Amino acid sequence: MTSDDGFNDVSNEYSLLAPGPVNLHPEVRKALALPMIHHRTPEFDKILKRVLENIKKVFQTTQEVFLLTTTGSGGMEALLVNTLSPGDKVLAIVSGKFGERWADMAKHYGASVTVLEVPWGEAVQVSLVEDHLKNNPDTRAVLCQACETSTAVSHPIRELADVISKYSETLFLVDAITALGAYPLPMDEWKIDGLVAGSQKAFMLPTGMAFISFSQKAWKFIEGAKFPRYYFDVRKEKKANASGETFFSSNVAIIRALDVVLNLIQAQGLNKLFHDIHRRAELTRIFAQKLGFTLYAKSPSDSVTALTVPSHMDGQKIRLHLEEAHNITIMGGQDQAKGKIIRVGHMGYIQDQELIRLIASLGHCLRHFDPAFISVEQISMVADEARKWLEQNP
């Protein structure tokens, strides 16, 4: 594939470097291609039992983790409906699109929601949450994204949990869909009360499942919660899991592939997984800036990087050109960040050569829209530096 400035992209293979869904591991692709089996058979019962136990290690919890056939947003809703009641006071930390979505969900069910607006690209100040709880000790829940996917901001979850855990009647519910499995987020140690992850992120699976867990503190509230719930009622799921089944039909294909992923994670260790994702994030942050991008997030996440494009360029056009001319998919900005940023994901099955190719291709995209902005020689130099950096930082 040759660009308009003569750059020859020798690899024509499609590369998915979005914040989710992500490139699937080859072993996952094999598992997804297996013949279907029924979800009420001894064969699947063994798989489910193994998965329910091993996924706790990624959540770093002794509590049950529930497997829901839904998207991550369904998992966010499940955290709300299992712990809250109409009229409950909720503090929603909103720093982007997904914080807005969670606040809207809580309002829709009838919670009394106070929104703590955080400027896009910034992390929440813990002191503001602390002040709110001092003035409103009857707050039932605080909602926060571990990583706000739309801005690539990582929020100080450990510090927030330290503050919130001191209030016995307040739960800390965390959307870790673009965080869990990508960097440390130990549920029990940090005293997180509700945690949700998504299959299509660090778990390297297709979209279609959410994984949720609740602390012992949260279980005290679950029985008395009054928000309507049926499909997402974890009491039913807990009882079914204790009998070796899921309450509703199991997502056999994804759960079977999840078994493969959890075995892969166990073989390499969580710390190695975190290291690999951090390494990709560092490579992207360092060398994209050498090309002329700047970092959008003031507290950048390791799972996804948001890059501010040069002011005279359009981020939406850059990501589209990257896909059409170089066969690489990333994402653009949303709402107030639309056209201003591009977002690169670091989760999933990503090889070093894809990272080097990404850096070179991003440089040629910039050159496509402004030939005077960067030269072919500069792009080549940055790509070579990136290659050496990867060799020196295994």
Side-chain angles (χ1 to χ4, degrees):
M1 190 174 291
T2 303
S3 69
D4 51 356
D5 62 5
F7 170 60
N8 183 28
D9 191 343
V10 293
S11 173
N12 196 27
E13 187 173 347
Y14 177 65
S15 185
L16 179 56
L17 300 178
V22 300
N23 282 337
L24 303 182
H25 192 284
E27 293 301 316
V28 169
R29 293 163 70 176
K30 287 180 186 177
L32 292 171
L34 291 172
M36 181 53 58
I37 59 173
H38 198 278
H39 60 281
R40 304 288 190 229
T41 59
E43 181 182 357
F44 184 73
D45 289 348
K46 291 177 183 177
I47 295 170
L48 180 64
K49 181 179 179 181
R50 194 162 55 235
V51 165
L52 289 173
E53 189 58 37
N54 286 340
I55 197 170
K56 293 179 184 179
K57 298 169 186 175
V58 182
F59 276 71
Q60 295 179 266
T61 184
T62 58
Q63 300 298 308
E64 294 96 339
V65 177
F66 303 102
L67 316 176
L68 306 178
T69 299
T70 181
T71 63
S73 294
M76 292 162 68
E77 184 165 326
L79 290 190
L80 298 180
V81 300
N82 281 287
T83 57
L84 300 176
S85 301
D88 278 350
K89 291 184 178 180
V90 171
L91 177 65
I93 297 168
V94 175
S95 62
K97 285 292 292 182
F98 295 95
E100 291 174 359
R101 179 177 297 179
W102 218 4
D104 286 345
M105 282 185 194
K107 291 175 185 175
H108 182 83
Y109 276 100
S112 176
V113 179
T114 298
V115 171
L116 175 54
E117 291 279 1
V118 180
W120 282 41
E122 296 183 16
V124 66
Q125 296 180 40
V126 178
S127 61
L128 296 178
V129 176
E130 190 168 22
D131 290 344
H132 180 88
L133 293 180
K134 284 178 181 177
N135 295 323
N136 302 273
D138 56 343
T139 298
R140 176 51 62 93
V142 178
L143 313 180
C144 187
Q145 277 61 42
C147 167
E148 172 50 68
T149 317
S150 63
T151 65
V153 163
S154 176
H155 286 294
I157 298 302
R158 185 174 193 171
E159 293 80 359
L160 288 168
D162 186 55
V163 168
I164 298 164
S165 65
K166 296 171 183 174
Y167 293 81
S168 61
E169 299 300 309
T170 305
L171 299 177
F172 187 27
L173 306 182
V174 177
D175 162 12
I177 294 168
T178 313
L180 192 73
Y183 54 86
L185 206 69
M187 180 175 168
D188 289 358
E189 181 186 340
W190 287 7
K191 300 177 182 177
I192 296 168
D193 297 308
L195 196 61
V196 54
S199 58
Q200 77 278 20
K201 306 281 185 167
F203 285 92
M204 296 185 281
L205 299 167
T207 304
M209 293 201 75
F211 315 126
I212 64 172
S213 187
F214 297 94
S215 68
Q216 285 185 326
K217 178 181 174 183
W219 276 105
K220 296 176 183 177
F221 299 94
I222 286 173
E223 199 61 45
K226 296 294 190 294
F227 277 169
R229 49 185 156 155
Y230 185 83
Y231 182 76
F232 290 140
D233 190 337
V234 293
R235 296 169 299 181
K236 298 173 183 176
E237 195 66 28
K238 183 177 183 180
K239 185 177 180 180
N241 287 177
S243 300
E245 298 179 340
T246 56
F247 186 71
F248 296 99
S249 297
S250 306
N251 192 328
V252 172
I254 294 185
I255 292 174
R256 189 163 50 185
L258 175 59
D259 186 35
V260 171
V261 170
L262 294 174
N263 286 333
L264 289 169
I265 292 175
Q266 194 165 332
Q268 69 172 329
L270 265 181
N271 289 336
K272 180 63 166 63
L273 177 62
F274 296 155
H275 167 79
D276 289 349
I277 293 174
H278 173 74
R279 176 174 174 265
R280 297 170 200 153
E282 278 290 279
L283 182 282
T284 304
R285 290 191 284 250
I286 292 169
F287 293 97
Q289 289 185 90
K290 288 178 179 289
L291 293 173
F293 295 95
T294 56
L295 297 182
Y296 181 71
K298 292 183 173 64
S299 174
S301 170
D302 276 350
S303 52
V304 53
T305 294
L307 300 169
T308 303
V309 304
S311 59
H312 62 297
M313 297 187 195
D314 184 333
Q316 296 298 104
K317 292 180 179 179
I318 289 175
R319 73 152 295 263
L320 181 61
H321 183 71
L322 185 68
E323 190 162 271
E324 291 179 341
H326 301 279
N327 214 17
I328 300 172
T329 294
I330 60 172
M331 285 292 107
Q334 298 170 287
D335 284 2
Q336 61 184 269
K338 189 171 185 178
K340 299 177 182 178
I341 67 171
I342 55 173
R343 292 176 296 137
V344 180
H346 310 304
M347 301 167 289
Y349 186 72
I350 302 173
Q351 302 300 288
D352 281 1
Q353 190 56 41
E354 286 180 89
L355 299 173
I356 298 165
R357 181 179 161 218
L358 170 70
I359 294 300
S361 298
L362 283 174
H364 286 281
C365 282
L366 293 175
R367 181 168 169 76
H368 170 78
F369 291 104
D370 183 359
F373 186 80
I374 189 168
S375 68
V376 173
E377 292 74 22
Q378 286 174 306
I379 296 168
S380 179
M381 182 178 67
V382 172
D384 285 342
E385 287 180 12
R387 184 179 293 104
K388 292 175 184 174
W389 187 92
L390 287 170
E391 292 170 354
Q392 294 166 1
N393 295 274

